[in-house]
């Protein structure tokens, strides 16, 4: 019997017929984009759901990252993590800014605050940490360093939709937080993203930046881009929001099942964070050490041979790609923890529609 493929993730789609009324509304009013009613409603509903004051939705997370750096007029050097998706560092480089890589914390695999200060120079203007896998960074330690050195903090919160710490949404930390609503994310709008701002003036400026810099028909105040989310995407987001709690609950069950089934296997370490009070179970990363009978790559291949497409997020490290490799901060000796993690990590399939039988198939292969 040939098994059906199981991917690292699969978007959860609401019933198609429930999307039709949204499309009918769009067809009726013929507003397809440029901050239409669906877009406005999505921003309002996201603020309520996420527990944030100001949000600007975007056509993807990468444009949101690019715009966040523009909004705060970041220049010179930005300290960031090599252990992320390439878009993190690309957004810095595309703005003509030099990314400076700092190693990650061995427990959380997030930017290690104890190593940040040594990387600060007179050109450093900001820190861009990532809440990797939705596990919160040490936001207090990072803010203390930023305050001491007068740096801005932009969180790449692409993985952190809905994550909360004791004081509320993780998205309220730093100067700005950037979300991704890509198809592979916990909450998706097919393609999409957002910037969470601390105040109305910053949101207003970001809204201008994402609309070419227009403030009215004849006035352009800044060299903006087109970062706008279309009405079709925004409408899908509104529908997705009705199902998000259900989706997160199902992810929690899958996460718990993996944890209990894998906890006693020698050579498998499950990455855990203790900082959050509400998780989003966006990824299920495990680290494969030499105590496991086969190597990480052999396991990756074995799973693949059985139609289970786990992913090595984040291997290779961003600092290993050709446009970064020559940079002094990209030297492997400077990033030992990130390198070790990149060589050990495997993200197992986790998504609401993963069946118990399919999850058992994965567990059996790992055991
Ligand atoms: N910052 C961070 C930390 C990020 O992780 C990301 C995105 C960004 C910034 C940038 O945000 P966006 O500009 O993307 O909004 C995927 C995603 O494309 C990417 O959005 C995501 N991070 C990254 C971690 O993962 P790939 O190259 O792994 O995607 P792909 O196409 O191989 O998809 C993985 C699996 O998901 C497939 O094997 C099957 C399944 N899948 C995928 C798509 C696109 C589906 O079932 N349906 C789909 O439509 O990068």
């Amino acid at each position: 019997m040939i098994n059906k493929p199981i991917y690292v993730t699969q978007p959860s789609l609401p019933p198609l017929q429930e999307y039709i009324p949204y499309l009918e509304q769009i067809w009726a009013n013929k507003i397809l984009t440029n901050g239409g009613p669906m877009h406005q409603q999505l921003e309002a509903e996201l603020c309520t759901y996420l527990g944030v004051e100001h949000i600007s939705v975007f056509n993807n997370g990468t444009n949101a990252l690019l715009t966040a750096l523009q909004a705060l007029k970041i220049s010179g050097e930005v300290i960031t993590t090599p252990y992320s998706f390439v878009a993190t560092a690309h957004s810095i480089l595309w703005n003509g800014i030099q990314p400076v890589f700092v190693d990650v914390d061995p427990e959380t695999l997030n930017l290690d605050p104890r190593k940040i200060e040594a990387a600060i120079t007179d050109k450093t203007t900001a820190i861009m940490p990532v809440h990797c896998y939705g596990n919160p960074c040490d936001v207090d330690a990072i803010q203390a360093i930023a305050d001491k050195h007068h740096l801005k903090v932009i969180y790449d919160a692409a993985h952190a939709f809905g994550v909360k710490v004791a004081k509320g949404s993780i998205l309220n930390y730093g100067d700005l937080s950037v979300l991704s609503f890509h198809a592979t994310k916990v909450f998706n709008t097919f393609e999409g993203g957002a910037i969470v701002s601390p105040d109305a003036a910053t949101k207003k400026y970001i809204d201008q930046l994402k609309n070419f810099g227009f403030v009215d028909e004849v006035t352009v105040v800044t060299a903006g881009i087109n970062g706008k989310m279309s009405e079709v995407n925004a409408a899908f987001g509104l529908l997705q929001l009705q199902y998000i709690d259900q989706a997160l609950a199902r992810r929690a069950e899958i996460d718990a099942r993996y944890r209990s089934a894998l906890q006693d296997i020698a050579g498998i370490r499950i990455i855990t964070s203790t900082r959050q009070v509400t998780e989003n179970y966006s990824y299920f990363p495990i680290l494969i050490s030499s105590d496991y009978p086969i190597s990480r790559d052999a396991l990756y291949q074995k799973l693949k041979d059985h139609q289970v497409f786990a992913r090595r997020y984040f291997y290779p490290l961003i600092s290993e790609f050709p446009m970064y490799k020559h940079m002094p901060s990209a030297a492997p000796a400077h990033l030992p923890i990130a390198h070790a993690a990149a060589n050990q990590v495997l993200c197992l399939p986790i998504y609401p529609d993963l069946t118990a039988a399919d999850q058992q198939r994965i567990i059996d292969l790992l055991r």
Side-chain angles (χ1 to χ4, degrees), residues 254-284:
I254 296 165
D255 181 283
R257 175 81 189 103
Y258 274 138
R259 275 172 202 279
S260 70
L262 305 180
Q263 63 179 356
D264 59 344
I265 301 181
I268 291 187
R269 192 188 123 200
I270 300 168
I271 296 170
T272 321
S273 165
T274 49
R275 287 207 180 93
Q276 72 271 46
V277 292
T278 307
E279 297 182 52
N280 69 6
Y281 313 98
S282 48
Y283 294 86
F284 196 86

Side-chain angles (χ1 to χ4, degrees), residues 7-11 60-63 65 84-85 87-88 130 156 158-159 179-185 191-193 283 309 311 313-314:
Y7 297 103
V8 68
T9 190
Q10 193 180 72
N60 61 59
T62 304
N63 276 338
L65 280 172
S84 181
F85 188 61
T88 309
V130 178
D156 179 337
H159 302 173
L179 290 158
S180 166
F181 304 151
H182 182 259
T184 55
K185 297 293 187 273
E191 289 273 5
Y283 294 86
F309 297 91
R311 290 292 289 266
Y313 296 135
F314 288 99

Side-chain angles (χ1 to χ4, degrees), residues 137-145 155 167 173:
C137 291
D138 188 345
V139 287
D140 294 330
I142 290 170
Q143 196 57 53
I145 296 164
Y155 281 104
K167 288 184 191 155
Y173 288 83

Side-chain angles (χ1 to χ4, degrees), residues 49-284:
Y49 183 81
L50 295 170
V52 302
E53 291 280 315
H54 306 280
I55 197 163
S56 305
V57 295
F58 272 74
N59 48 13
N60 61 59
T62 304
N63 276 338
L65 280 172
L66 287 169
T67 305
L69 288 157
Q70 287 278 329
L72 300 182
K73 302 188 166 55
I74 304 301
S75 62
E77 295 175 1
V78 171
I79 290 172
T80 191
T81 167
Y83 193 82
S84 181
F85 188 61
V86 276
T88 309
H90 279 3
S91 71
I92 297 170
L93 204 61
W94 258 53
N95 270 301
I97 306 165
Q98 178 82 6
V100 174
F101 299 108
V102 163
D103 209 0
V104 295
D105 175 283
E107 293 305 313
T108 60
L109 306 183
N110 286 330
L111 196 60
D112 190 339
R114 292 165 298 194
K115 297 188 176 152
I116 292 176
E117 276 194 290
I120 296 174
T121 71
D122 54 4
K123 295 197 187 101
T124 312
T125 56
I127 309 172
M128 186 183 277
V130 178
H131 301 298
C132 195
Y133 311 127
N135 291 333
C137 291
D138 188 345
V139 287
D140 294 330
I142 290 170
Q143 196 57 53
I145 296 164
D147 290 345
K148 186 173 156 195
H149 296 273
H150 310 291
L151 305 177
K152 300 286 187 194
V153 183
I154 298 174
Y155 281 104
D156 179 337
H159 302 173
F161 185 92
V163 173
K164 292 198 170 84
V165 289
K167 288 184 191 155
S169 174
I170 194 69
L171 305 171
N172 288 322
Y173 288 83
D175 294 282
L176 295 173
S177 287
V178 176
L179 290 158
S180 166
F181 304 151
H182 182 259
T184 55
K185 297 293 187 273
V186 164
F187 169 82
N188 89 81
T189 55
F190 283 36
E191 289 273 5
I195 303 180
V196 174
S197 305
D199 55 74
T202 309
K203 172 181 158 54
K204 189 172 163 198
Y205 184 50
I206 288 170
D207 287 345
Q208 291 166 358
L209 277 170
K210 79 175 188 190
N211 186 28
F212 315 99
F214 275 110
V215 289
D216 61 43
E217 258 179 64
V218 291
T219 317
V220 175
V221 290
T222 183
I225 55 162
N226 183 353
K228 293 167 279 119
M229 179 184 277
S230 87
E231 288 293 277
V232 177
N233 298 91
F236 187 76
L238 288 168
L239 182 55
Q240 280 276 93
L241 266 185
Q242 294 176 24
Y243 287 91
I244 187 74
D245 286 331
Q246 207 171 304
L248 292 174
R250 180 66 195 123
R251 282 178 177 272
E253 284 173 15
I254 296 165
D255 181 283
R257 175 81 189 103
Y258 274 138
R259 275 172 202 279
S260 70
L262 305 180
Q263 63 179 356
D264 59 344
I265 301 181
I268 291 187
R269 192 188 123 200
I270 300 168
I271 296 170
T272 321
S273 165
T274 49
R275 287 207 180 93
Q276 72 271 46
V277 292
T278 307
E279 297 182 52
N280 69 6
Y281 313 98
S282 48
Y283 294 86
F284 196 86

